[in-house]
Amino acid sequence: MGAIAPSLNFDSFCEQLQARGWQENSSLSVTTPIQDQQGLGFQQGVTPLFLTQNAYHSCLHACDFAIAMAGTATEQCVGLGKPVIAIPGRGPQYTAAFAEAQTRLLGPSVILVQKPAQAADVCQGLLTDPNRLQLIADNGKHRMGKPGAASRVAQYILNLNSC
């Protein structure tokens, strides 16, 4: 699954996949756990890939790991106990310095790579190391806490105002 930011050109992703041998596969739209009528399925050999710009939440819960270039997305995945391969960008927000600081904050759940090509080796290593995956799952839940913080903070503020 690939959750692509709505601000990015979806067609460019599709063109790049097809240039690298991926074939569009409309049957994946039916079999994927991601429900998005605008999403597109691709396949290369036995490997499926479903791209969406409308179902980030579903992708987040269905994925085994993430490749991220955004701070909040990284934190959301880590909070669910999932490993994140972080790639710093050239833009103003997810810079190398920010990514490195976030890696220190979130610990072993975030694996920082300098080049996108390094992500494949990291993925392979993660998927063959169940002990590391368990460490990452435990670390993410410890660092980010249990779900529902926004509701608890809002309730706390409401209680302050009623005093």
Side-chain angles (χ1 to χ4, degrees), residues 103-114:
T103 301
R104 285 193 318 270
L105 177 70
L106 299 175
S109 297
V110 180
I111 301 102
L112 182 61
V113 298
Q114 298 306 312

Side-chain angles (χ1 to χ4, degrees), residues 51-75:
L51 296 181
T52 177
Q53 288 186 299
N54 304 309
Y56 173 73
H57 182 263
S58 297
C59 284
L60 184 65
H61 286 278
C63 74
D64 294 315
F65 63 89
I67 299 172
M69 295 182 72
T72 303
T74 297
E75 292 165 5

Side-chain angles (χ1 to χ4, degrees), residues 64-65 81 83 108 111 121-137:
D64 294 315
F65 63 89
I111 301 102
D121 289 336
V122 173
C123 290
Q124 187 68 29
L126 285 169
L127 296 175
T128 58
D129 190 347
N131 292 330
R132 186 173 181 196
L133 289 173
Q134 186 61 54
L135 171 80
I136 287 169

